[in-house]
Amino acid sequence: MAEVHIIGQIESAQDFPDNRLCCRWSLQIGGGWRVVEGDTEGQTQTDLPITEKAYFCHPIDIHLATKSIQGWPKIHLEVWHHDVYGRQEIYGYGTAFIPTSPGEHVITCNCWRPKGGFKDELMQFFVGGGLQLRSPAPLEDPVERQKLHTVAMGTVTLRLSIITRHFDRFGIQC
Amino acid sequence: MEENREASSVPTLHRGARLGWTEEPRPLVNDEGISIVKDKVIQQGDLNQLSEAEYQILPETSQEVEFSRENTEEYMIEDRPRSAGSSSVSSRSSKRTSISADLSATIRQRVRQQATAKLAEKRGSVQLAKRLLRSQTLQTPEDEGELEEDQKIIDHQIEESIKLGEKYTKSTLKTSLAPEHVQKSFFETESVHLVSPPEKSSHVIFGKPKTIRSSETEQFGQLLTSYGMKALSMSIEDPIAKLDNKLFASKPGRDYSVLAQRLGSTFFTSNGTLKGLEEFLTNKPLKLDRDEDEDFLLVDYSTAQNWDEWEKQKGRHPHRYFQFNIDVNRVEFDHHWLFSVEDSLAREVRNFHREFEACGERTLELMQQFLRLQQRRDTFVLDEEEKGKLNEEIEQVEKGFQAEFLTYRKLASLLENSWHKLVQHRETQNAATANLLVEKVESNLPDFGEIPQDFQSFITYPTFLLKEVKLAENRKPGKTEAERQSTMNKCRIQIQIFFNDILVCKTKPTPLSNEFIAKFTEIYNLRVFEKPENVTLVIMERFGRFGWRELARVFVPVPVEAEDHPWEESSKLEAMQFASNLRMDKYKGSMGSGIPNASPFIQGRLYCKSVWIDSDFGQQVRDKKQELLKESEAFELIPSETRLVSDEEFASDIRLEALSKRFARQYGNKHPSKWIGLTSAEVDHGWLTDEFKIDERHRTGGLEFSSIDVYRRAGNRYAAMIRSHLLEMYARDHRMKNYNDIVNEPNLPTSLFDIGSLFGPPDLSRRLKPMRITTQKPQGPGKSHYRLVVNVQSGVNLPERVDNTHMQAFVDVVFQKQHGQTQAVEGRNANWQQTITLDIINNIDAHLDFKAITDALQLNVYDQVISQLEFDDREPNTIHEQIQKRWLGSVSIPFSTIYSLGKIDGILAIKPPLFFTGYKISSEHAFLKVMITIDPPIASPKFSSYGNFVAGESDAIMKSCAKWEKQCRTLFPDRRFVALANDAKGERVLVTKFLRSIRPPRNILSVSESREKAIELAIHSVSCIPFIADPVMFPGILDLWTTVEQMLTIGCADEEEHAILLACWLLYLGISVVLLLGTGLPEGPKAAYVLVQLDNNVCWIINPNDGNKYALNEPMCPLISVGTLVTPENVYANIQRGSHPSQLDFDLKKANNWLPLFPEPRTDLKSVQVESIDYNEVSEDVLVELRTNLEREIKLKFDEMRPYGIPQWNLMASRLLREILTNMSNSIHVDVESAFSQLRAAYNISAVAFRRPYISKDKLLEDIRNLNVHVNSDQNAQFALSLHIQPFVNNIISCAVAMASLAPKA
């Protein structure tokens, strides 16, 4: 069977309205995949920067094995904002595929948040908080996603190194 | 090759001109054994280039055409032009196009001319040199000179080859070539274009493209596969699609037709897109018409929250469950193997009656409908059309009615028939067992007159009533019949509910009623976390010794809709038919089942109903179902096209397995990281087997000894599993680390601190006050050798000999099968003062991990007796004596206690024998004073306290607990203060909640003589519950308390659970009870005792583990220190100076002695224990099985232990022993000495007995071995054995063993 190592980090987040952020992530894999080693979900520290970006440098080290080429792993991100009162609110969702070719990659994951109606937006503006997805289904399902209105919020940069193994055995060139 | 590549760049149009060939039907094979011969090849693409004579086909050059099968589909043509004059050419078997004889000369001439002209032109030119270089064979300078001579040879060769060629080409000549005149004209016209040929004849033979027969093309085409944009894209072209927006056109964005041709249709959908690529559902951009505020159920507004709250809200277990209710009502048997003939007839009657009634109802309904319609027709004014319709309808209803009525009558006659049969049968048998009576009721309703005849007859049709009657007195059932009925009463039916093939619930075993109906009428609420694959009800039956056996499985349909009021009367039970293929013989007059030609198989109906309580989930299930229906074709999770390896291969990869195991263990810290190879071959198989090894140590191995053992083992494993699971869960939880672990934040220096720091830290070591060096824990795989040092000091209150001779007591110390003995010392309060050292062997792992040692240190006290042996005449002047060791008691200390305490220095209570002939066992406890340490000294293990647990209590309680514990710990850091304990779910729960009055089993309740007796029995039952043996059980690792119910189900418990069970039972008996938690011997820091206050102000401190009880002021009480006292309402910490119970004041009102957790006792706390517990009686069969097995096994072992002589078993003594044991277990006082008086006339008897909880066979055998009865060198010695098993509830068994050795008197 083929194996994939994902080694890297969630490097930074930028262009968000505010940079006081933390990022929760989880790796989604298809049915034919199996996590051999490593944690598939986690949360970065909350960065309260005075710089342009929020830096996390949150390490990711996962070893996967697969029996199928389907369901290539992807990473779901949730960006949370730490507001001035020390409360948490959602600032964005994003997904990015893990690169399929070996080597080092810098991945820019653009994040968005669901846009609500006038009342919601008003609430959000004055009270804080925000619309959250009820389930991560829209991140997976394009049909669900089309129902959403979103607001682009910013980007999260990941730096991932990929090592693939044994894909050549099956005639797959990564 | 070079040319080929050049040529391939030319446009396709010209390609045809370049290559033309025919395939010969008969290939020529030469002696080199190669090549299918092609006839002529004209190379060098372009016609335009031809005129420039750019080509270089030489007559000498045999055009070697090889078909190399590089690819099964495609042939590659390889042509290597050879230079002129190369002699190797002649050997080539080649064939030329032969043209008719007259033409050949001309052609030859021409070709020669062309070639020479070309050669002349090129000679010396750079171009030629290049070409020659390319053509692989180097041209030597001699070639030029030899040209002239060569020509003749070449001519000859050409002619020869033409002749040769004629043989083969004649047949194909006509078709493969154009008519001659055409060819001729071609060459003639061609020649005009050519540059004027030089005088010398050309070396070039010119071939012309040939026309190809269509059949040949086909033939070759079969070998070739060509792909192109065709067919597919054409067929789906849609003129409208062009008009549409391209992005959302239903046409695939890309044309995959070439791919489709190559790979076949497996990858493609019907409209030409690749499978798995999302197709657009519409051909318009989607603009949802939505209101600004419309909710698509995708998002929720949530306010910004503080981090702490956020955590709590989305806690660690966000499981959502759905409630699934199953109503199991009853089982009705249509046939059961206990059916008598009469029963079966009665059942038939019943069935017919049921059908009859149902049919009657249907008929009645139709009749009513008919009447309604008729009335409508008659009363309303209707137009023709409506009238017609109505008439039609009426007609239909009438027809339906008539059909139903027919069956109704049929059923009636059938019912009557079977009733008659039954009556007949009853008359012949003269006994009615089935109390069924059918009454025919003639209708005496008045004639309605107006309704049709059919209806009239239906109304007046006689109906039947079923009646239950009491058996008439005079009709006493026969003997066999009575027997059958009594067996029927013994028969129990149970239904087990399986959810996704996992057993979730069992009903109570229910007896069959006389009508063979088992009524359960219970509703089971299942909390469902996963999708129901199948829900199965398994009908089990137990009869006598057969145990439970499966009758049938019934699959319950999972409802799709949830009902709001599911249990209203309207909701009907579903009758599910079932049948069994169980074959039973006739039994006491019953019919049996499955006997061919005699009785049918067991069958019946199960009435049940299943309902979802949550509507949401029902919807989900329905959606899923529809989805499944859609893709009804064989569904694969991973389509075969994208699969790389098979599931088996994937699952069995040893390397991945090892890697993931290592990763999982990283937290458990059981094993250090080991190297794992890069390929499966390099992986150490130890990774996979490691776990088994550890497990195997706790299994007795081999076949299951008895059902109790199986139960025990399963329970033990389960208990260990819960604990290790919890442990792992904690370890995995990264949040276990708190802020201070990660961030080291030094306090801001205060002014005071600044001054202090100037003088530096105080010097801790002072010359005259040396400080103890703290012991270090061994680092890594220490090679150092560890020993157990046991200093046996003295014994107190040992049993004493009746004959007043002096005792010669000694102590045998056993650890990991190593023995050490003290000297024999006189007296019943012996004083040994002797040190014994034993090695600690840890064979679990290379490095010593003491936590993994589950062995116990056992101290056996023996009395040494010297007895005479028979005098042997052959050896005069010798005295024959033997030393006999008589077992006076033992005590065992788990290694974990020694390890966690570091040093044991105290008094241990000895478990004395039940009786021993020749010894007086005092009612006072016997003690052994010992000191045990490990050498070299090691630090007691540090246990991390899991700070970040899941709180099971409200914030206020948690806070006050933390405060209380902190406060106590500052006062007495070493005492054990427990306010919270983990329950099985891993939540921290107040310890008081574990105490609740729970009804004890019946045998304890039924003790009527005195309260003390009842308490004693309760203590004894509790002490018979086995302990969990697992490294996970190491004290301090995990404080997990299961509830009483869970514990009784599992069947084994740890120290605290024993105490809780006892306390709960005693609370029910109305005795005031408190729980004492602290440190004791031999339990170590896990000790839990129960303090009981009786009415007459007598207090007992009870150790529920061994069943000993001590007075409050007993200084020998092995509970060394009391830390916490738990009552059902409050928790108290012992903050008195002393900690031994004998030094304590137990007045809880004094707050400066006992610090309460809550200022006032709280009664509002809801206990975690259930109100009442169903105790299962230990089955009689199991006991019989266990006893016989054990007896056999003991005798077998006994034989093995005496290799020098087969023991003679004295049956009379055995019987005596059994009597004594039975009497003792019924707490009848037995005078052992007098019981043996009869036997003493003939034998010198030494009998010993002990009582232990039954834990496992091996444990019992070990105890028997410790008795040392088998060591007897007397040739004539006889032995006796008796075993008495006393069951309590839930497989808790106490086992008493008596052994005797008898020496015949001379």
Side-chain angles (χ1 to χ4, degrees), chain B residues 84 119 123 142-151 203:
Chain B
L119 265 176
R123 193 167 295 156
E142 285 95 316
D143 281 354
E144 291 172 33
E146 282 165 12
L147 263 175
E148 293 295 315
E149 293 105 25
D150 281 348
Q151 267 187 11
H203 286 217

Side-chain angles (χ1 to χ4, degrees), chain B residues 132-282:
Chain B
L132 290 174
L133 264 176
R134 275 183 214 158
S135 62
Q136 288 180 351
T137 31
L138 277 171
Q139 181 140 20
T140 48
E142 285 95 316
D143 281 354
E144 291 172 33
E146 282 165 12
L147 263 175
E148 293 295 315
E149 293 105 25
D150 281 348
Q151 267 187 11
K152 282 173 197 164
I153 307 165
I154 294 160
D155 270 354
H156 180 65
Q157 282 173 353
I158 293 171
E159 244 150 8
E160 255 186 358
S161 53
I162 289 171
K163 264 183 226 160
L164 265 170
E166 269 173 353
K167 271 196 265 178
Y168 301 106
T169 49
K170 255 178 189 160
S171 55
T172 58
L173 195 65
K174 281 173 203 159
T175 48
S176 62
L177 286 177
E180 277 166 20
H181 65 274
V182 178
Q183 288 195 19
K184 201 174 177 183
S185 68
F186 170 75
F187 284 110
E188 272 163 7
T189 49
E190 200 82 343
S191 64
V192 176
H193 293 289
L194 284 169
V195 193
S196 59
E199 278 92 313
K200 282 190 178 169
S201 60
S202 167
H203 286 217
V204 179
I205 184 164
F206 184 81
K208 186 193 174 288
K210 261 188 335 182
T211 49
I212 305 157
R213 262 191 321 182
S214 62
S215 64
E216 284 165 339
T217 324
E218 271 168 34
Q219 200 177 3
F220 188 69
Q222 279 168 5
L223 296 169
L224 283 175
T225 319
S226 54
Y227 307 115
M229 302 289 207
K230 57 174 190 187
L232 254 144
S233 60
M234 298 297 283
S235 65
I236 57 158
E237 189 142 32
D238 178 9
I240 304 160
K242 282 181 186 165
L243 302 172
D244 271 332
N245 187 334
K246 267 203 176 148
L247 187 61
F248 295 101
S250 66
K251 207 179 80 174
R254 239 177 109 177
D255 194 349
Y256 295 103
S257 60
V258 179
L259 199 61
Q261 290 163 45
R262 273 186 61 196
L263 301 180
S265 58
T266 29
F267 286 97
F268 298 93
T269 57
S270 54
N271 55 350
T273 50
L274 266 178
K275 266 184 190 168
L277 287 188
E278 204 58 51
E279 298 158 41
F280 283 105
L281 303 171
T282 60

Side-chain angles (χ1 to χ4, degrees), chain B residues 431-615:
Chain B
T433 51
N435 43 6
L436 179 80
L437 206 68
V438 177
E439 223 170 67
K440 195 168 176 176
V441 183
E442 295 288 346
S443 171
N444 50 359
L445 284 172
D447 206 327
F448 284 101
E450 280 175 21
I451 51 174
Q453 184 57 42
D454 275 343
F455 293 163
Q456 190 68 46
S457 57
F458 172 66
I459 290 166
T460 51
Y461 205 81
T463 54
F464 298 90
L465 286 180
L466 289 190
K467 276 193 178 171
E468 308 278 321
V469 287
K470 291 266 176 208
L471 280 184
E473 286 298 315
N474 53 356
R475 280 183 169 181
K476 278 259 167 81
K479 196 187 164 201
T480 51
E481 187 55 37
E483 270 178 2
R484 189 185 68 87
Q485 284 196 350
S486 72
T487 51
M488 216 179 107
N489 291 336
K490 276 185 207 157
C491 198
R492 293 279 184 282
I493 302 290
Q494 185 186 46
I495 288 182
Q496 300 180 345
I497 301 170
F498 284 79
F499 186 85
N500 289 356
D501 297 325
I502 299 160
L503 176 65
V504 286
C505 278
K506 286 180 195 168
T507 62
K508 274 183 196 166
T510 311
L512 279 171
S513 73
N514 256 354
E515 296 89 51
F516 286 91
I517 294 170
K519 276 192 180 167
F520 302 100
T521 54
E522 278 173 24
I523 295 170
Y524 293 88
N525 302 335
L526 307 185
R527 281 182 174 189
V528 176
F529 289 97
E530 52 184 284
K531 206 184 111 208
E533 305 283 340
N534 58 54
V535 183
T536 324
L537 301 183
V538 178
I539 303 165
M540 306 286 282
E541 184 193 52
R542 187 178 66 183
F543 171 70
R545 305 224 272 114
F546 294 115
W548 287 106
R549 73 189 149 197
E550 186 182 317
L551 283 186
R553 275 170 185 265
V554 181
F555 286 88
V556 182
V558 178
V560 167
E561 305 257 4
E563 286 177 34
D564 293 335
H565 309 287
W567 307 115
E568 281 184 1
E569 294 205 357
S570 61
S571 65
K572 266 194 174 173
L573 288 168
E574 286 182 73
M576 236 100 51
Q577 298 262 353
F578 68 86
S580 159
N581 55 1
L582 194 71
R583 195 177 286 262
M584 293 291 292
D585 287 333
K586 289 183 180 186
Y587 183 85
K588 294 187 177 160
S590 78
M591 286 173 77
S593 73
I595 305 166
N597 302 329
S599 59
F601 283 108
I602 294 172
Q603 50 185 300
R605 286 174 312 275
L606 171 70
Y607 288 86
C608 68
K609 181 177 168 57
S610 58
V611 164
W612 285 110
I613 300 302
D614 190 309
S615 58

Side-chain angles (χ1 to χ4, degrees), chain A residues 1-3 22 24 32 34 36-39 43 63 65-70 80 83 85-89 114-120 123-124 127-134 138 144 146-149 165 170 172, chain B residues 278 281 286-288 290 292-293 295-307 310 314 637-639 641-647 649-653 655-663 667 678-679 732 734:
Chain A
M1 60 237 54
E3 292 168 41
C22 83
R24 293 161 67 77
R34 157 181 179 187
V36 180
E37 287 170 292
D39 293 313
Q43 179 180 332
H63 179 190
T66 183
K67 56 185 169 191
S68 160
I69 199 72
Q70 269 195 335
W80 290 80
D83 74 0
Y85 306 105
R87 302 175 304 177
Q88 307 297 320
E89 56 189 8
K115 182 175 162 44
F118 177 71
K119 197 184 111 208
D120 292 330
M123 285 260 283
Q124 181 159 11
V127 186
L131 290 180
Q132 283 178 28
L133 290 183
R134 272 194 191 162
E144 291 272 278
Q146 71 185 9
K147 297 177 191 160
L148 285 174
H149 283 183
R165 191 173 188 231
F170 307 103
I172 300 162
Chain B
E278 204 58 51
L281 303 171
L286 288 164
K287 167 77 174 77
L288 293 175
R290 58 179 261 181
E292 265 291 90
D293 293 321
D295 191 5
F296 277 95
L297 300 176
L298 287 175
V299 288
D300 273 333
Y301 184 81
S302 60
T303 50
Q305 271 171 340
N306 271 326
W307 210 226
W310 189 84
K314 306 207 167 182
L637 192 63
I638 300 167
E641 289 93 6
T642 63
R643 181 180 277 280
L644 302 180
V645 289
S646 65
D647 285 342
E649 202 183 326
F650 188 65
S652 64
D653 190 286
R655 180 174 156 264
L656 294 181
E657 200 65 30
L659 280 172
S660 35
K661 257 194 191 150
R662 181 176 70 179
F663 181 72
Y667 298 112
L678 206 56
T679 61
R732 269 182 173 280
H734 293 292

